[in-house]
Amino acid sequence: MNRIVRNFINEAILTGKRAVVVGTGKSGLAAARLLDVLGAKVRVVDRDEAVTEDKLGPLKGKAELITGPHEKAHFADADMIVFSPGVPVRKLAPVLEGIPARNLVSELEFASWFIEAPILAVTGSNGKTTTTTLISQILEKSGRRVFTGGNIGVPLCEYLLDMEPAEIIVLEVSSFQLQNCRLFKPHVGVFLNFSANHLDYHEDLDEYLDAKLHLFSRMTLDDTALLHESLRPLLEGRTFTGARIEWFGPTSRFNAPHLMGEHNRSNVEAAWQAVKRFGVTEEQAAEAIREFRPLPHRIEPVAEKNGVLYINDSKATTLDAAEAAVHAFDRPVRILMGGVWKGGDVARFAEGIEGRVAAVGLFGGSREILEPELARHFSVTWDETLEAAVRRQAALAAPGDVVLLSPATSSFDQYRNMAERGADFKRAVEGIDG
């Protein structure tokens, strides 16, 4: 437990205050635990009526749990309301009426109040996890003690409670986490890219971009904002940060044998530009980058059978991510797409992959959105399941082709998450003779 947490306890700053946590995901429950340690009276609310007190773990019998539709009475006595990532605050406006905005915070914001080590935060529509993980690996290889978390792995609140202090805090941060941040301030902030995403959550693209820019709003000239060159049309001339702004793009500075595609060359350069602010040498970075391997479900080679390469890119939940994956190969691509639609320009996507894609194999949801435009450019088939789509493309593929799962959608029509979808793809590929 760190020094600032102990000060809050000793000075009874939150003792006896009513704190309401919205959501029982791992971030929400970590926030509830920290609030309990700080002496607050904790209430946890969740729309899911199937959630039981057992979900509260060590807070069972200590924290109040309310499930079902949210009501004004659940929040009326709150001194602080902490939101789990993914809880759309905009949709809660009717039950939060009259509550001061300063009382509404995200788990990320709440945890950041207690952090003393410098924070290096990464956001963007695509590539966040790869870049965040690569940054941490470089820092660790150079001898730094690092905590890696936020939108991946361990919530920041849990780090404060259970983990040894780190020299550098490396966070992947999403728009969900940033939307209710006002004081969060990294020393280095990285913005990788921006494209239509999470429009099932955000009201529109403007709201989505504004949430991303919260990352930079409290930064000063002592801090660095690293922005991808593709963001210039969006951000040049816009006042959104007091930090020093530096632009980056893809380079061939480092040998990254396991990270394919131009987008990954940008991710590698972003990682280097970030870590050098912490004293890492180019030689130290080069060694870590050379050894780094892609994470599961991110342009992950699965097998080569009968001369056909099968690639699992289940993490690609946007059209931009799918387009980047297609451009990672100099072989004809048979791309598998489908799931729950999150938004984007299908016509622009089709133009961006023309000449590189041999066929499109749709599966599951969003057929009515994807097929009309894609069929103008490519041979398009549809199957109800991913396994059937894999088998169809395997039968049609010629030696030298790539069968690429890069769905450009979320997975929730048929799977619990993108990892389960990727695992199903691997299972289907294993079943192919060859």
Side-chain angles (χ1 to χ4, degrees), residues 311-327:
I311 300 290
N312 169 26
D313 192 37
S314 183
K315 183 65 169 63
T317 60
T318 68
L319 290 172
D320 275 23
E323 182 177 345
V326 168
H327 282 267

Side-chain angles (χ1 to χ4, degrees), residues 149-416:
N151 197 46
I152 55 172
V154 179
L156 197 52
C157 280
E158 190 170 326
Y159 159 76
L160 289 166
L161 288 166
D162 298 333
M163 303 183 72
E164 291 297 316
E167 294 176 86
I168 304 168
I169 307 295
V170 180
L171 301 175
E172 175 187 319
V173 290
S174 69
S175 61
F176 301 164
Q177 294 170 303
L178 289 167
Q179 192 159 25
N180 291 291
C181 285
R182 291 181 297 279
L183 301 177
F184 178 70
K185 187 181 97 65
H187 177 54
V188 176
V190 182
F191 197 170
L192 296 171
N193 45 58
F194 182 77
S195 61
N197 198 358
H198 301 307
L199 297 183
D200 51 348
Y201 175 96
H202 292 290
E203 188 172 11
D204 52 33
L205 272 177
D206 288 339
E207 182 186 286
Y208 177 40
L209 178 60
D210 285 344
K212 292 288 191 189
L213 294 180
H214 284 182
L215 176 65
F216 306 97
S217 62
R218 301 288 294 188
M219 296 171 71
T220 70
L221 281 174
D222 293 329
D223 308 313
T224 303
L226 297 172
L227 312 176
H228 191 272
E229 58 190 16
S230 64
L231 299 168
R232 285 184 187 272
L234 274 177
L235 302 181
E236 272 195 321
R238 180 170 181 158
T239 302
F240 64 94
T241 186
R244 298 189 313 276
I245 292 177
E246 297 188 17
W247 303 91
F248 69 91
T251 73
S252 300
R253 187 193 308 272
F254 296 102
N255 176 27
H258 307 294
L259 291 171
M260 294 183 286
E262 182 175 281
H263 66 295
N264 271 324
R265 290 200 299 275
S266 282
N267 293 340
V268 168
E269 183 65 16
W272 160 240
Q273 294 296 334
V275 299
K276 75 178 187 180
R277 268 73 188 177
F278 296 90
V280 176
T281 68
E282 193 164 333
E283 292 73 21
Q284 290 170 325
E287 181 181 359
I289 291 165
R290 188 170 56 251
E291 295 175 359
F292 184 82
R293 292 182 177 273
L295 298 165
H297 316 297
R298 295 159 177 85
I299 315 187
E300 176 192 14
V302 173
E304 185 153 359
K305 295 190 173 185
N306 304 315
V308 177
L309 179 62
Y310 294 85
I311 300 290
N312 169 26
D313 192 37
S314 183
K315 183 65 169 63
T317 60
T318 68
L319 290 172
D320 275 23
E323 182 177 345
V326 168
H327 282 267
F329 301 97
D330 57 4
R331 302 164 61 167
V333 173
R334 294 177 172 272
I335 185 170
L336 299 168
M337 305 174 66
V340 177
W341 184 244
K342 297 170 66 180
D345 187 337
V346 182
R348 190 206 60 76
F349 168 74
E351 292 172 1
I353 62 172
E354 201 157 18
R356 291 176 172 270
V357 167
V360 177
L362 301 178
F363 66 93
S366 299
R367 178 185 185 184
E368 72 284 0
I369 297 169
L370 294 167
E371 186 171 28
E373 185 61 44
L374 294 178
R376 296 173 56 192
H377 300 263
F378 312 104
S379 169
V380 178
T381 58
W382 180 83
D383 291 282
E384 184 174 349
T385 67
L386 173 57
E387 180 174 6
V390 170
R391 290 188 175 279
R392 183 196 294 266
Q393 294 305 317
L396 295 171
D401 285 357
V402 175
V403 174
L404 168 68
L405 171 65
S406 199
T409 61
S410 68
S411 58
F412 302 127
D413 59 334
Q414 298 181 351
Y415 302 96
R416 289 177 297 178

